[in-house]
């Protein structure tokens, strides 16, 4: 099965969750249209927004890379259309499209820097 055969388009309404922190599943997502909030819960049970992502951006890859439960939840801020990619499809994309893989790594680095900068700002 080719990577393209392992892509599935899904639609969500604003306020719906795509996945929850702690879920164990083997997919990542590319946003076709809309905005998704990546969030977690603090010790008091309050939602903490980590990041907002939009058209053309991807999320959910960390669970595939470290083979662990989801470290955060993905909640739709607007109506959203995503392309869901299976673990096999993810591996094929990494192997067959090195430019895409490089762009994905740069995206990871950008997200981590943003999170680190935000944490630094909170401490100042």
């Amino acid at each position: 099965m080719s990577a393209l055969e392992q892509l599935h388009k899904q639609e969500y309404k604003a306020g719906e969750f795509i996945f929850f922190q702690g879920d164990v599943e083997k997919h990542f997502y590319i946003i076709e249209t809309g905005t998704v909030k990546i969030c977690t819960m603090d010790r008091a049970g309050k939602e903490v927004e980590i990041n907002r992502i939009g058209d053309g951006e991807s999320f959910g890859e960390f669970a595939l890379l470290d083979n662990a439960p989801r470290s955060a939840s993905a909640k739709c801020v607007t109506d959203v259309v995503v392309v869901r990619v299976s673990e096999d499809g993810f591996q094929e994309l990494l192997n067959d499209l090195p430019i895409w893989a490089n762009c994905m790594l740069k995206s990871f680095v950008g997200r981590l820097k943003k999170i680190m900068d935000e944490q630094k700002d909170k401490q100042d």
Side-chain angles (χ1 to χ4, degrees), residues 12-103:
Y12 296 89
K13 297 287 183 198
E16 286 187 295
F17 283 86
I18 297 172
F19 57 76
F20 294 95
Q21 182 176 348
D23 283 354
V24 178
E25 61 142 337
K26 302 294 182 182
H27 298 95
F28 89 99
Y29 301 83
I30 302 169
I31 300 173
E32 191 172 288
T33 60
T35 303
V36 173
K37 173 172 53 173
I38 306 301
C39 55
T40 189
M41 297 294 228
D42 66 13
R43 289 191 178 120
K46 182 181 172 196
E47 186 178 276
V48 177
E49 184 174 321
I50 298 170
N51 199 9
R52 278 187 191 226
I53 51 180
D55 299 3
E57 294 184 277
S58 62
F59 62 97
E61 309 93 338
F62 290 177
L64 293 176
L65 293 171
D66 69 3
N67 203 26
R70 298 285 185 192
S71 58
S73 298
K75 184 177 183 180
C76 299
V77 176
T78 64
D79 289 353
V80 174
V81 177
V82 296
V83 176
R84 185 180 77 164
V85 183
S86 70
E87 182 177 26
D88 289 340
F90 179 72
Q91 290 303 322
E92 282 189 44
L93 287 170
L94 288 176
N95 293 333
D96 296 345
L97 301 172
I99 293 172
W100 178 82
N102 187 38
C103 288

Side-chain angles (χ1 to χ4, degrees), residues 94-118:
L94 288 176
N95 293 333
D96 296 345
L97 301 172
I99 293 172
W100 178 82
N102 187 38
C103 288
M104 180 170 283
L105 289 173
K106 287 180 181 177
S107 173
F108 290 163
V109 170
R111 284 191 219 164
L112 289 173
K113 284 182 178 179
K114 179 181 176 192
I115 291 168
M116 289 170 39
D117 287 345
E118 288 172 356

